[in-house]
Amino acid sequence: MASGISDAIKMDHREIESYYDKIINSSDNDEQTRFQNLLTWELARHSIGEELVVYPIFEKLLSDGADMANKDRKEHLKVIWI
C-alpha cells in the first residue's frame, strides 16, 4: 500500500479518535451531538473508502490479504458498537 494511502488512513483514525474523545469529555449536549454527527460521518466515509479501495488491493495482492481485510472489518465493527 502506498505511503500516501497509509498516511491518510492513519490520519482518519486519529481524527475519529479525537471526535470520540470530545464526545466523552464534553459536558455540553450541543457539542456532543455535533461531534457524534462528525464521528458517524467520518467513520462511514472511512469504512466505505477502505471497502472500495484498500481491502480489494489486500485481497488481490497479499497472500494473507483476505485475513487482513476481515480483521480490519471486525475492528470497525467494534468501533461502531462502542
Side-chain angles (χ1 to χ4, degrees), residues 8-71:
I9 290 169
K10 288 176 187 175
M11 189 168 56
D12 279 354
H13 288 178
R14 299 302 79 78
E15 184 177 41
I16 290 166
E17 288 170 355
S18 76
Y19 294 159
Y20 176 79
D21 288 342
K22 288 181 181 184
I23 294 164
I24 297 303
N25 294 315
S26 177
S27 59
D28 181 280
N29 287 338
D30 289 337
E31 184 176 56
Q32 287 176 329
T33 299
R34 196 167 48 252
F35 283 104
Q36 286 170 344
N37 290 340
L38 279 169
L39 183 136
T40 300
W41 172 257
E42 291 300 324
L43 186 59
R45 179 196 56 76
H46 174 82
S47 296
I48 290 167
E50 285 190 347
E51 287 290 344
L52 294 175
V53 176
V54 177
Y55 300 156
I57 292 171
F58 281 2
E59 293 167 346
K60 182 177 181 180
L61 300 179
L62 303 173
S63 61
D64 61 343
D67 291 335
M68 290 174 65
N70 288 331
K71 179 181 177 265

